[in-house]
Amino acid sequence: MNKNTEAVAALAEAGYWDSQYFLWSAILIVAILFLAGTWCFLCHRRAMAAQHLLVQDLRESADTFRYLVETAHEGIAVVQNKRLVYLNPRMCEMSGYNEAELKALSSFIPLIHPSSRDEMMANYQRRVAGEAAPQRYESLLLRKDGSSYPIELSGVAIVWGGQPATLNMLTDISDRKAAEKKILYLAHHDGLTGLVNRTVLHERVQSAIDISSRSHTSFAVLFVDLNAFKQVNDAYGHEVGDALLQQVTLRVKQQLESADTLARVGGDEFVVLLAAIKDNRDVNQVMTRIKEGMAEVFQIKHHQLHCHVSQGAALYPEDGTSVQALLSQADKNMYADKCRFYSDLKSNGSDRQRNNASHSPNSQ
């Protein structure tokens, strides 16, 4: 009999195996060990399930983030050491380069218009250095074909691969700039003729006053008004009337110098700023050219129209030293010319009636 067997026999002879205290203690220890093992097993399963859910959430979040980045309307680019290390498809679309071409660039500078390169580089360097830089600003970029396009850039400093970098979001604002330009144009120009409006005219006349007062030179403003324009609209319609205004604009422009300004200030009223005029003789020469230019028949939609204009001028400083004074005097002179026109027209009409009456058989 070996030593182990002898030890067990000795315990049995001593009565330990028959002790209830020892038995229940053993059962309790086994139960505790079982419960502890079960609890550890359940905790492990719970931890594994939570880890699985976490991994799944992270994967779904990454997929969602990737989808948002790849389908974003804005171009997204990460710049590190002046190179593009990450970019989304929209960035490629905006620039005209593919991803490999953009990442192969030694610097982002070729993508920037020369007029914006210094500002863009300075902002990039400030961000990387942790210094204050504009978070959002407008700039001008270059496409692969050399054409430029305006963008709005938002940038922040980040860490990419353990190294400082910048995350940049670029929005192509070409449509917005075009709309702003159109709104600005319409705010200062006549939509039908393309001429500057009353606001711009006043600014340019005031500028001419300032220059002439310092240089002791002269200039003139000239009112040009179409006679019987309302009758043209009534007889042929506004479409023909609009076409007539456009053709009148072209003819008047042909009689002016490049330094002069032609503005439309009313339905059929035009004002000319004659910048290089010295005296009334020069003004009269311009007025004569405009009158002769109107003499040729206007051909509009199979209609042959005659257009007569009334004109009135005011010379600086003889006729006024302010914008309002000059325009008011030129308007008065134009109205006087219009009155003469209709007076002559009425007189000629009466003469024709008398001539017709004198040649009538009933008059003999």
Side-chain angles (χ1 to χ4, degrees):
M1 183 178 296
N2 57 31
K3 292 183 179 181
N4 291 335
T5 304
E6 291 176 356
V8 172
L11 289 172
E13 290 177 359
Y16 285 104
W17 292 114
D18 296 331
S19 174
Q20 292 183 355
Y21 176 78
F22 180 81
L23 178 62
W24 285 109
S25 297
I27 293 173
L28 181 60
I29 292 172
V30 171
I32 291 173
L33 291 175
F34 175 77
L35 291 175
T38 302
W39 182 79
C40 291
F41 175 74
L42 292 176
C43 287
H44 176 71
R45 287 195 61 181
R46 190 179 296 113
M48 292 297 294
Q51 184 179 7
H52 176 73
L53 290 175
L54 179 61
V55 172
Q56 185 177 355
D57 289 343
L58 290 174
R59 185 180 294 112
E60 290 177 354
S61 297
D63 292 340
T64 301
F65 178 76
R66 185 181 300 107
Y67 174 78
L68 291 175
V69 169
E70 291 180 353
T71 60
H73 181 68
E74 293 77 16
I76 300 176
V78 175
V79 179
Q80 190 175 66
N81 296 324
K82 303 179 185 179
R83 300 186 63 176
L84 295 167
V85 295
Y86 174 81
L87 47 101
N88 69 341
R90 176 58 177 160
M91 187 66 200
C92 297
E93 180 184 348
M94 289 167 54
S95 65
Y97 293 88
N98 60 41
E99 182 178 356
E101 290 173 330
L102 287 174
K103 289 185 175 180
L105 295 175
S106 59
S107 167
F108 63 83
I109 290 299
L111 302 177
I112 315 303
H113 190 274
S115 63
S116 303
R117 288 175 180 173
D118 290 342
E119 178 189 26
M120 185 80 77
M121 178 60 73
N123 288 335
Y124 166 75
Q125 291 175 338
R126 281 196 289 265
R127 280 201 186 91
V128 172
E131 300 174 359
Q135 184 176 0
R136 182 186 298 269
Y137 62 95
E138 294 182 4
S139 190
L140 196 63
L141 301 190
L142 288 177
R143 297 187 181 90
K144 184 179 180 180
D145 61 9
S147 61
S148 61
Y149 61 105
I151 58 100
E152 184 177 72
L153 184 146
S154 299
V156 293
I158 63 170
V159 176
W160 184 271
Q163 297 295 324
T166 61
L167 173 62
N168 306 276
M169 298 186 65
L170 300 91
T171 303
D172 187 339
I173 57 174
S174 298
D175 291 341
R176 191 181 82 189
K177 286 296 183 180
E180 291 175 354
K181 184 177 180 180
K182 183 176 182 180
I183 292 172
L184 183 63
Y185 178 86
L186 292 176
H188 296 89
H189 293 78
D190 171 52
L192 177 64
T193 62
L195 299 177
V196 297
N197 59 15
R198 187 186 298 271
T199 300
V200 178
L201 174 70
H202 281 219
E203 293 175 354
R204 294 187 181 180
V205 173
Q206 183 60 57
S207 177
I209 291 174
D210 296 339
I211 294 173
S212 296
S213 64
R214 293 194 299 267
S215 60
H216 303 289
T217 56
S218 296
F219 69 91
V221 290
L222 172 64
F223 259 80
V224 181
D225 185 88
L226 276 61
N227 297 325
F229 180 71
K230 183 178 182 301
Q231 285 81 342
V232 173
N233 279 334
D234 293 342
Y236 304 104
H238 289 279
E239 188 175 354
V240 172
D242 290 346
L244 178 60
L245 289 173
Q246 291 171 335
Q247 291 194 24
V248 166
T249 298
L250 294 176
R251 291 197 188 183
V252 173
K253 277 185 174 181
Q254 292 173 354
Q255 316 307 325
L256 304 178
E257 302 294 335
S258 59
D260 299 334
T261 296
L262 175 60
R264 184 186 178 201
V265 296
D268 60 344
E269 294 180 340
F270 300 84
V271 176
V272 185
L273 169 60
L274 300 171
I277 291 300
K278 296 180 180 179
D279 50 36
N280 284 321
R281 184 178 60 181
D282 293 339
V283 176
N284 290 332
Q285 289 178 354
V286 175
M287 295 172 67
T288 299
R289 291 201 304 268
I290 292 175
K291 183 177 181 180
E292 292 174 350
M294 296 297 110
E296 185 178 350
V297 175
F298 290 87
Q299 186 72 38
I300 302 175
K301 292 185 177 296
H302 309 294
H303 301 295
Q304 292 187 341
L305 304 177
H306 292 275
C307 182
H308 301 279
V309 297
S310 295
Q311 303 179 76
L315 193 67
Y316 175 89
E318 289 86 341
D319 296 320
T321 56
S322 68
V323 175
Q324 190 57 44
L326 289 169
L327 294 177
S328 178
Q329 186 59 46
D331 189 26
K332 290 178 181 179
N333 292 339
M334 182 274 296
Y335 183 74
D337 186 47
K338 185 178 286 289
C339 289
R340 287 192 296 270
F341 170 79
Y342 282 109
S343 177
D344 293 342
L345 188 64
K346 183 177 180 180
S347 176
N348 292 335
S350 299
D351 291 342
R352 283 196 297 271
Q353 289 180 353
R354 286 194 296 269
N355 291 334
N356 291 337
S358 64
H359 288 85
S360 172
N362 295 329
S363 65
Q364 297 178 355

